[in-house]
mmCIF file of all heavy atoms in Angstrom:
data_model
loop_
_atom_site.group_PDB
_atom_site.id
_atom_site.type_symbol
_atom_site.label_atom_id
_atom_site.label_comp_id
_atom_site.label_asym_id
_atom_site.label_seq_id
_atom_site.Cartn_x
_atom_site.Cartn_y
_atom_site.Cartn_z
ATOM 1 N N VAL A 134 -24.648 37.467 -70.857
ATOM 2 C CA VAL A 134 -24.587 38.241 -72.095
ATOM 3 C C VAL A 134 -25.891 38.986 -72.389
ATOM 4 O O VAL A 134 -25.871 40.212 -72.593
ATOM 5 C CB VAL A 134 -24.181 37.332 -73.280
ATOM 6 C CG1 VAL A 134 -24.379 38.044 -74.617
ATOM 7 C CG2 VAL A 134 -22.720 36.902 -73.128
ATOM 8 N N PRO A 135 -27.063 38.337 -72.441
ATOM 9 C CA PRO A 135 -28.293 39.073 -72.790
ATOM 10 C C PRO A 135 -28.612 40.204 -71.821
ATOM 11 O O PRO A 135 -29.036 41.288 -72.242
ATOM 12 C CB PRO A 135 -29.379 37.988 -72.759
ATOM 13 C CG PRO A 135 -28.647 36.711 -72.981
ATOM 14 C CD PRO A 135 -27.327 36.891 -72.288
ATOM 15 N N LEU A 136 -28.392 39.979 -70.517
ATOM 16 C CA LEU A 136 -28.687 41.025 -69.535
ATOM 17 C C LEU A 136 -27.764 42.227 -69.688
ATOM 18 O O LEU A 136 -28.182 43.376 -69.556
ATOM 19 C CB LEU A 136 -28.576 40.462 -68.111
ATOM 20 C CG LEU A 136 -29.822 39.795 -67.542
ATOM 21 C CD1 LEU A 136 -29.531 39.227 -66.163
ATOM 22 C CD2 LEU A 136 -30.987 40.773 -67.476
ATOM 23 N N MET A 137 -26.487 41.963 -69.963
ATOM 24 C CA MET A 137 -25.542 43.068 -70.104
ATOM 25 C C MET A 137 -25.761 43.839 -71.401
ATOM 26 O O MET A 137 -25.394 45.010 -71.509
ATOM 27 C CB MET A 137 -24.107 42.551 -70.013
ATOM 28 C CG MET A 137 -23.733 42.028 -68.632
ATOM 29 S SD MET A 137 -24.036 43.232 -67.306
ATOM 30 C CE MET A 137 -25.600 42.620 -66.614
ATOM 31 N N GLU A 138 -26.385 43.194 -72.404
ATOM 32 C CA GLU A 138 -26.715 43.907 -73.635
ATOM 33 C C GLU A 138 -27.667 45.062 -73.360
ATOM 34 O O GLU A 138 -27.625 46.090 -74.028
ATOM 35 C CB GLU A 138 -27.347 42.953 -74.656
ATOM 36 C CG GLU A 138 -26.388 41.976 -75.296
ATOM 37 C CD GLU A 138 -25.325 42.660 -76.133
ATOM 38 O OE1 GLU A 138 -25.673 43.252 -77.179
ATOM 39 O OE2 GLU A 138 -24.139 42.601 -75.746
ATOM 40 N N ILE A 139 -28.534 44.902 -72.378
ATOM 41 C CA ILE A 139 -29.496 45.967 -72.075
ATOM 42 C C ILE A 139 -29.129 46.735 -70.806
ATOM 43 O O ILE A 139 -29.851 47.632 -70.383
ATOM 44 C CB ILE A 139 -30.934 45.404 -71.950
ATOM 45 C CG1 ILE A 139 -31.000 44.298 -70.896
ATOM 46 C CG2 ILE A 139 -31.410 44.895 -73.298
ATOM 47 C CD1 ILE A 139 -32.413 43.778 -70.650
ATOM 48 N N ASN A 140 -27.977 46.388 -70.214
ATOM 49 C CA ASN A 140 -27.482 47.107 -69.034
ATOM 50 C C ASN A 140 -25.999 47.443 -69.205
ATOM 51 O O ASN A 140 -25.165 47.100 -68.353
ATOM 52 C CB ASN A 140 -27.679 46.266 -67.767
ATOM 53 C CG ASN A 140 -29.136 46.075 -67.413
ATOM 54 O OD1 ASN A 140 -29.771 46.963 -66.857
ATOM 55 N ND2 ASN A 140 -29.675 44.912 -67.746
ATOM 56 N N PRO A 141 -25.641 48.128 -70.292
ATOM 57 C CA PRO A 141 -24.212 48.374 -70.550
ATOM 58 C C PRO A 141 -23.527 49.211 -69.481
ATOM 59 O O PRO A 141 -22.337 48.996 -69.180
ATOM 60 C CB PRO A 141 -24.208 49.094 -71.904
ATOM 61 C CG PRO A 141 -25.591 49.649 -72.057
ATOM 62 C CD PRO A 141 -26.493 48.676 -71.366
ATOM 63 N N TYR A 142 -24.262 50.135 -68.890
ATOM 64 C CA TYR A 142 -23.675 50.982 -67.849
ATOM 65 C C TYR A 142 -23.199 50.141 -66.667
ATOM 66 O O TYR A 142 -22.085 50.334 -66.148
ATOM 67 C CB TYR A 142 -24.715 52.011 -67.390
ATOM 68 C CG TYR A 142 -24.285 52.892 -66.238
ATOM 69 C CD1 TYR A 142 -23.257 53.810 -66.392
ATOM 70 C CD2 TYR A 142 -24.927 52.815 -65.006
ATOM 71 C CE1 TYR A 142 -22.869 54.628 -65.335
ATOM 72 C CE2 TYR A 142 -24.563 53.625 -63.950
ATOM 73 C CZ TYR A 142 -23.526 54.532 -64.119
ATOM 74 O OH TYR A 142 -23.145 55.337 -63.073
ATOM 75 N N GLU A 143 -24.028 49.191 -66.239
ATOM 76 C CA GLU A 143 -23.658 48.331 -65.116
ATOM 77 C C GLU A 143 -22.482 47.418 -65.484
ATOM 78 O O GLU A 143 -21.603 47.163 -64.654
ATOM 79 C CB GLU A 143 -24.864 47.496 -64.669
ATOM 80 C CG GLU A 143 -26.045 48.305 -64.172
ATOM 81 C CD GLU A 143 -25.696 49.175 -62.963
ATOM 82 O OE1 GLU A 143 -24.808 48.785 -62.182
ATOM 83 O OE2 GLU A 143 -26.324 50.242 -62.809
ATOM 84 N N ALA A 144 -22.478 46.933 -66.722
ATOM 85 C CA ALA A 144 -21.375 46.079 -67.168
ATOM 86 C C ALA A 144 -20.055 46.834 -67.146
ATOM 87 O O ALA A 144 -19.032 46.314 -66.698
ATOM 88 C CB ALA A 144 -21.660 45.558 -68.579
ATOM 89 N N VAL A 145 -20.073 48.076 -67.620
ATOM 90 C CA VAL A 145 -18.859 48.894 -67.642
ATOM 91 C C VAL A 145 -18.388 49.191 -66.222
ATOM 92 O O VAL A 145 -17.193 49.078 -65.899
ATOM 93 C CB VAL A 145 -19.105 50.206 -68.423
ATOM 94 C CG1 VAL A 145 -17.966 51.201 -68.203
ATOM 95 C CG2 VAL A 145 -19.263 49.900 -69.912
ATOM 96 N N LYS A 146 -19.320 49.570 -65.359
ATOM 97 C CA LYS A 146 -18.955 49.900 -63.971
ATOM 98 C C LYS A 146 -18.266 48.740 -63.275
ATOM 99 O O LYS A 146 -17.221 48.912 -62.626
ATOM 100 C CB LYS A 146 -20.208 50.287 -63.168
ATOM 101 C CG LYS A 146 -20.645 51.711 -63.290
ATOM 102 C CD LYS A 146 -21.538 52.120 -62.121
ATOM 103 C CE LYS A 146 -22.647 51.129 -61.847
ATOM 104 N NZ LYS A 146 -23.469 51.499 -60.677
ATOM 105 N N THR A 147 -18.851 47.552 -63.382
ATOM 106 C CA THR A 147 -18.348 46.403 -62.625
ATOM 107 C C THR A 147 -17.187 45.711 -63.319
ATOM 108 O O THR A 147 -16.179 45.392 -62.691
ATOM 109 C CB THR A 147 -19.486 45.403 -62.363
ATOM 110 O OG1 THR A 147 -20.479 46.049 -61.554
ATOM 111 C CG2 THR A 147 -18.986 44.158 -61.653
ATOM 112 N N ASN A 148 -17.324 45.468 -64.612
ATOM 113 C CA ASN A 148 -16.321 44.651 -65.305
ATOM 114 C C ASN A 148 -15.076 45.422 -65.700
ATOM 115 O O ASN A 148 -14.003 44.828 -65.847
ATOM 116 C CB ASN A 148 -16.937 44.007 -66.547
ATOM 117 C CG ASN A 148 -17.994 42.976 -66.206
ATOM 118 O OD1 ASN A 148 -18.276 42.729 -65.038
ATOM 119 N ND2 ASN A 148 -18.597 42.378 -67.210
ATOM 120 N N ILE A 149 -15.195 46.750 -65.866
ATOM 121 C CA ILE A 149 -14.013 47.543 -66.242
ATOM 122 C C ILE A 149 -13.570 48.450 -65.098
ATOM 123 O O ILE A 149 -12.454 48.311 -64.586
ATOM 124 C CB ILE A 149 -14.282 48.403 -67.503
ATOM 125 C CG1 ILE A 149 -14.669 47.529 -68.692
ATOM 126 C CG2 ILE A 149 -13.028 49.212 -67.848
ATOM 127 C CD1 ILE A 149 -15.022 48.321 -69.952
ATOM 128 N N ILE A 150 -14.437 49.381 -64.699
ATOM 129 C CA ILE A 150 -14.032 50.406 -63.730
ATOM 130 C C ILE A 150 -13.654 49.785 -62.389
ATOM 131 O O ILE A 150 -12.639 50.147 -61.784
ATOM 132 C CB ILE A 150 -15.141 51.461 -63.555
ATOM 133 C CG1 ILE A 150 -15.510 52.099 -64.900
ATOM 134 C CG2 ILE A 150 -14.701 52.521 -62.555
ATOM 135 C CD1 ILE A 150 -14.353 52.755 -65.611
ATOM 136 N N ALA A 151 -14.468 48.836 -61.906
ATOM 137 C CA ALA A 151 -14.151 48.203 -60.622
ATOM 138 C C ALA A 151 -12.889 47.354 -60.726
ATOM 139 O O ALA A 151 -12.097 47.285 -59.773
ATOM 140 C CB ALA A 151 -15.322 47.352 -60.143
ATOM 141 N N THR A 152 -12.685 46.711 -61.873
ATOM 142 C CA THR A 152 -11.446 45.941 -62.065
ATOM 143 C C THR A 152 -10.239 46.868 -62.034
ATOM 144 O O THR A 152 -9.215 46.557 -61.423
ATOM 145 C CB THR A 152 -11.502 45.169 -63.400
ATOM 146 O OG1 THR A 152 -12.580 44.228 -63.350
ATOM 147 C CG2 THR A 152 -10.198 44.421 -63.659
#
Side-chain angles (χ1 to χ4, degrees):
V134 169
L136 274 177
M137 292 306 101
E138 287 296 293
I139 56 176
N140 293 281
Y142 176 67
E143 298 300 330
V145 168
K146 276 200 312 177
T147 297
N148 293 0
I149 301 177
I150 303 302
T152 297

